[in-house]
Every structure is written in structure tokens, then in C-alpha cells.
């Protein structure tokens, strides 16, 4: 094969790489270039202001909560969808994809309607001194909502593939539900879960629309990193905006790399 | 430990998998559930294991009503057709699983696992993963895993179904010997009558969710109670109301009473055994089975005319006992 390569093959490669370059590599390259255009020190100081650090802090706390919640829900939901039969299963299966189908801004607005002062649940929480909107809880809710399907969608096909015989074998050997889950099911689906977690993390870090609506965008308080980037960009602090974008991208890539490292380590 | 199933019924939607099934398996026996696919044999095994709940009926394990006891607490060992090996665990950890669930101490577990590895001839494979084993080795590992917890009964669902013919034969004999050593009450499911005859002490023949007949292998072969059992246990020719085993059909050179003219279509030589395929004047095809020496002695040749006479035939009447007709007592006349 190496001796005789058809020219068509090079053409296909060129198109694929060119497409990727136009859409991904060049924009990211440009951001890196613009971030460090005034030197490393300038870039660094632009994203270490108290507001910027607080924005990163908010993003990471929200992402961690959303990932934990969606992992637990996602694994449970996938087990329900694959391992049991109940009325309304098809409906549940369809509902899980709703966050993919509707715009994050709509998600934000619906939360506003539900938890706002005149909303259905608004009074209940406010009267008990719990602030949902324009505070962390609302932002967490919005982020959980938009990143909900990833773990479910990664785990369901893996559960189908492994089948339930291993679980039944564990059961006949005396394992209860929890022992079977922890020692058989979970290790078997671990890479599906891990991939779901990586995708959820990336989505949670990058969330903008829904959080923008429910947060009130109060800088230093309810501003996440993406909101901070948008505001700084609007105020012509391009170095800060580009550097923060780059940092967000690096965090997402780091989670992906971490997963691959674990995977490689285990395979060896 | 004896196993008794009484009046088990199980439906999956419109499909009746078990239709009022009752069986008795004596303590220490090796029993085969034999039947074609869809006959309910695997469902019955899973009902005994507690992996499937019957719609009605009872399961008794050594006199103890286990019907409502979950699989986890029944003390049965179960072996699956496709091994159900724990893929992320070594052979050692697979075998140790049931013991570690029972929180035995590590030294005891290690000793027991070592013993079982020897029993199933997997010495030197303890640290391998299932993906590094052959099918036969995986199934022996699965068997050791099931035996580790000293089950009251051992249930095997088509244990050799996914293996090569050679490995199958080897593992059958091995299972037979293992049972002689371990003596645990064993039930295995198979659709292969030869496997059931070779391995089991008792066979339960199932068809369409019902038990057709239960008995010892030779008993079922010699005295089938239904047409189904007659034709499922061993080959058969059907001639009118008569069921004739191919080895009960003798081929004569000259006409004789009860003998039908037939043309030899084909002769298949399988080593010791020779199969002679015959065409009758009415167009029906039947076959006779004989030893190679018999075929050679009679100088049988393809295209020749012979006279086929049944030595023995079974007749199943709508009401009443099946009848055996002894037509010619002297073999090879």
C-alpha cells in the first residue's frame, strides 16, 4: 500500500485537514496569538483581576456540581432505560434529548418563568430565604439542564453491549444489587462514564446562553468565565478576553487528556 | 440436594414458555433438559435459578420452598452459554468473586481458588484475563467460579453450545468425570440429544413448554412414549403409522414377507458406520444404518435393488400405550 498511493487519497486528506484547519485550528491559533500579543505578563495580569478570578471560580464550582449531578443521574437513568421495562420508557428516552434540541436561551427563560418572583416556585423558595435566580443555584440548574444528556447517551450503548449476563452471574454468586453494580456494572461501563464526564465538563465550562439569562451577570458575583469573556470583549479588553478563552479551552482539553492517560495506563 | 418443580407456568407476552411443567431431580444426579429451541428448557433452568420468576407454580430445593427466594440467596451455581466471564477481572478474581462477596478471609480464599484452578485444569492461567483464554478455558473458569461457593445445585445453560466440536466432546467427558468427583446435583440444558445421552443419568425431554417424557437415556431411546420423543432422541424413518430406527432396517437381496422393494440411491461411509439412502417405489426416501462390514458383506452398491424389512417398529396410537412390533427376531436373516 505504501508504494502505490492513489492521488485521490491525498485529495481527501487535504480536504479533511483543510476543513479542520479553517474551522478549528486557525481560530484557536488566532486566539493564542492575540492573547500573547502584548507579552506573557500582560496576558497573565489581564486574567488575574479579582473579577476574573471570581468568574473562573464560579465556572469551576458550577461545572463540578453539574458533572457530579449529571453523572449520578446519567448512570441511574441509563440503567433504568436499558435494564428495566416500564410504561413511559420511550417518553423518558425522548425527554432526555430535549436539552440538545432546545436553545440554551430558552432554557434560561423557562427557569426565569418558574423561579421568578411571579413564577410557580418563585414564592416558595423566596419565602424560605432561598435565592434561586441571579445566584448560584439558578446557574447550577441551568448548567445541569444543558449538559444533562451526555452521560446517559454515552452509557446506554455500553450497557447494551455488555448485556446482563455478567450481572446475573454475580447475582447467582450471592452479590446484592449494590455489590453487583459496584464490582461488575460500574467497571464495565467506566469508559462510557468517563467519556460522558469529559463531554459534560466541556459543555458546562462553555455554557453561555442559559447562564447569561438566569445569572443577572453581576460582575464579581454571578459572572462565570464565559460571561466575563463576553463583557471584557465588549469593553475592548481583548487581551483578557482571548487569554480567558484560551484558559477555558485548556481546562477542557486537560480533562480529555487526563481520561486518555488513565485509559492508556490501564491498558498497559 | 433434590430439586422439585411443580406446575411451573411462564408466559412472555403471548408466548407460553412453560406450560404446567413439573419435574423431579434426585439428589446428586446429573440431569439433562433436552429439547429444541423454544421448548422452554432454558426458561425452566432460569426459573430454578431464580433468574426468572414463574407466573405460577413452585420450586423446591432440598425440600425447601425457594419460589420467592431471590437468585442471590438460592445457593445455586449457574453457568451461562456465553460464559458471562467478568472481563475486567483475572481468572483468580473471577473464581474468588463469590467467596469475597461472602467476606471469607484472604488466606481461605487463596487456598480454595488454588484448589479450583487445579480442579478445572487452569494451572498457570490464574493471572490472565478472560480475553486471553480460549472458549473452553473460559467455560472451565466459569464452572470453577460457580463451584467456588459450594452451591447446593449446579445449573448449566447450554454450557458447550458456543464451543468447537472437538472441545465440546472433550468437555462433555470432563463434566461427567467432574460430576463423579464433586457429586453436586447438576442440571444442564442442551438441544443436542447425543450430548444428553452421553453425559446425563436422567433426561427430561421438553417440547413447546411441556415435559414430553422423563427417564434414563436408554429408557427414552428404547421406550419413547410419544412420536416427538421417538424422533428427537435418535434418527427415525416414518413409514405409515410405523416409526423405524435406521439400524432396525435390514436390507435383503431377495423378496420376503414385510419387505419393501427399494433402490439404493446413495451410500455414505462414515468410518465404522455406513448409511444407505433408499428410494421406495412410492417416492419416499428412507435410510438404513449398518456397520461397514455388514455393508461390504452384502456387496451393496448404488443403483442396486434391495428389499428393506424393519426388524422392529414403533406404533403410536391416538389413545393408549405405544406399541412395539417385533417383525423379524433373527437379525441379518
Amino acid at each position: 500500500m505504501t508504494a502505490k498511493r492513489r492521488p485521490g487519497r491525498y485529495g481527501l486528506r487535504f480536504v479533511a485537514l483543510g476543513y479542520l484547519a479553517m474551522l478549528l485550528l486557525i481560530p484557536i491559533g488566532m486566539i493564542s496569538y492575540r492573547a500573547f500579543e502584548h507579552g506573557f505578563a500582560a496576558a497573565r495580569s489581564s486574567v488575574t483581576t479579582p473579577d476574573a478570578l471570581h468568574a473562573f471560580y464560579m465556572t469551576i464550582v458550577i461545572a463540578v456540581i453539574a458533572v457530579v449531578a449529571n453523572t449520578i443521574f446519567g448512570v441511574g437513568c441509563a440503567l433504568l432505560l436499558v435494564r428495566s421495562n416500564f410504561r413511559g420508557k420511550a417518553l423518558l428516552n425522548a425527554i432526555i434529548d430535549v436539552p440538545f434540541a432546545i436553545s440554551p436561551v430558552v432554557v434560561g427563560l423557562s427557569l426565569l418563568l418558574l423561579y421568578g418572583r411571579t413564577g410557580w416556585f418563585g414564592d416558595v423558595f423566596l419565602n424560605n430565604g432561598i435565592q434561586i435566580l441571579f445566584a448560584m443555584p439558578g446557574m447550577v440548574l441551568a448548567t445541569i439542564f444543558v449538559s444533562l444528556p451526555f452521560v446517559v447517551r454515552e452509557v446506554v450503548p455500553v450497557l447494551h453491549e455488555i448485556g446482563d449476563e455478567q450481572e446475573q452471574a454475580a447475582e447467582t454468586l450471592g452479590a446484592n444489587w449494590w455489590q453487583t453494580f459496584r464490582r461488575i456494572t460500574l467497571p464495565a461501563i467506566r469508559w462510557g462514564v468517563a467519556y460522558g464526564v469529559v463531554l459534560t465538563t466541556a459543555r458546562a465550562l462553555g455554557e453561555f446562553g442559559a447562564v447569561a439569562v438566569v445569572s443577572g451577570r453581576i460582575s464579581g458575583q454571578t459572572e462565570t468565565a464565559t460571561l466575563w469573556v463576553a463583557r471584557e470583549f465588549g469593553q475592548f479588553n481583548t487581551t483578557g478576553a482571548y487569554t480567558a478563552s484560551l484558559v477555558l479551552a485548556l481546562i477542557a482539553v486537560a480533562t480529555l487528556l487526563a481520561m486518555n492517560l488513565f485509559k492508556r495506563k490501564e491498558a498497559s | 440436594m433434590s430439586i422439585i418443580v411443580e406446575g411451573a407456568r411462564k408466559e412472555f407476552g403471548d408466548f407460553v414458555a412453560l406450560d404446567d411443567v413439573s419435574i423431579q431431580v434426585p439428589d446428586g444426579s446429573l440431569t439433562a433438559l433436552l429439547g429444541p429451541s423454544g421448548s422452554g428448557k432454558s426458561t425452566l433452568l432460569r426459573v430454578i435459578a431464580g433468574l426468572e420468576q414463574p407466573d405460577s407454580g413452585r420450586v423446591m430445593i432440598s425440600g425447601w420452598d425457594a419460589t420467592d427466594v431471590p437468585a442471590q440467596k438460592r445457593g445455586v451455581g449457574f453457568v451461562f452459554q456465553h460464559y458471562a466471564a467478568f472481563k475486567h477481572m483475572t481468572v483468580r478474581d473471577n473464581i474468588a468473586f463469590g467467596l469475597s462477596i461472602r467476606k471469607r478471609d484472604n488466606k481461605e480464599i487463596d487456598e480454595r481458588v488454588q484448589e479450583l484452578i487445579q480442579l478445572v485444569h487452569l494451572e498457570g492461567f490464574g493471572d490472565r484475563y478472560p480475553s486471553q483464554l480460549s472458549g473452553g478455558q473460559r467455560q472451565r473458569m466459569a464452572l470453577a467460579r460457580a463451584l467456588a461457593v459450594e452451591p447446593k445445585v449446579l445449573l448449566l445453560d447450554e454450557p458447550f453450545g458456543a464451543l468447537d466440536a472437538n472441545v465440546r466432546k472433550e468437555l462433555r467427558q470432563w463434566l461427567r468425570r467432574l460430576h463423579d468427583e464433586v457429586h453436586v446435583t447438576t442440571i444442564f440444558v442442551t438441544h443436542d440429544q447425543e450430548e444428553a445421552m452421553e453425559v446425563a443419568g436422567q433426561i427430561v425431554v421438553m417440547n413447546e413448554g411441556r415435559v414430553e417424557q422423563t427417564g434414563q437415556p436408554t429408557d427414552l431411546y428404547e421406550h419413547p412414549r410419544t412420536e416427538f420423543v421417538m424422533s428427537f432422541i435418535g434418527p427415525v424413518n416414518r413409514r405409515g403409522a410405523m416409526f423405524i430406527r435406521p439400524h432396525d432396517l435390514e436390507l435383503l437381496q431377495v423378496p420376503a414377507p414385510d419387505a419393501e422393494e427399494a433402490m439404493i440411491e446413495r451410500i455414505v461411509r462414515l468410518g465404522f458406520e455406513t448409511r444407505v439412502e433408499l428410494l421406495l417405489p412410492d417416492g419416499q426416501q428412507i435410510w438404513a444404518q449398518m456397520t461397514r462390514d455388514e455393508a461390504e458383506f452384502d456387496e451393496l452398491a448404488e443403483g442396486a435393488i434391495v428389499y428393506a424389512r424393519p426388524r422392529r417398529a414403533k406404533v403410536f396410537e391416538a389413545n393408549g400405550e405405544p406399541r412395539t412390533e417385533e417383525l423379524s427376531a433373527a437379525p441379518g436373516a
Side-chain angles (χ1 to χ4, degrees), chain B residues 250-256 259-262 305-309:
Chain B
E250 62 181 335
L251 303 182
L252 309 173
Q253 304 291 342
V254 290
E260 280 189 278
E261 189 183 76
I305 300 293
V306 291
Y307 300 88
R309 183 168 69 170

Side-chain angles (χ1 to χ4, degrees), chain B residues 37-57:
Chain B
S37 56
S39 59
K41 56 195 191 305
S42 281
T43 306
L44 179 57
L45 197 75
R46 293 172 63 83
V47 162
I48 295 169
L51 292 172
E52 215 70 77
Q53 196 59 29
D55 300 335
S56 59

Side-chain angles (χ1 to χ4, degrees), chain B residues 7 18 20 51 62 88 120 136 145 156 201-202 217 233 236 275 297:
Chain B
L18 295 178
D20 191 25
L51 292 172
S62 60
H88 60 286
V120 299
R145 183 177 70 183
L156 307 105
Q202 175 185 263
I233 307 244
V236 76
R275 291 181 190 169
F297 183 79

Side-chain angles (χ1 to χ4, degrees), chain A residues 166 168 171-173 175 183, chain B residues 46 72 76 86 88 100 102:
Chain A
Q166 290 186 54
Q168 289 177 357
E171 203 188 333
T172 61
L173 289 167
R183 300 183 54 171
Chain B
R46 293 172 63 83
Q72 183 203 341
V76 299
F86 301 145
H88 60 286
S100 73
R102 285 166 178 71

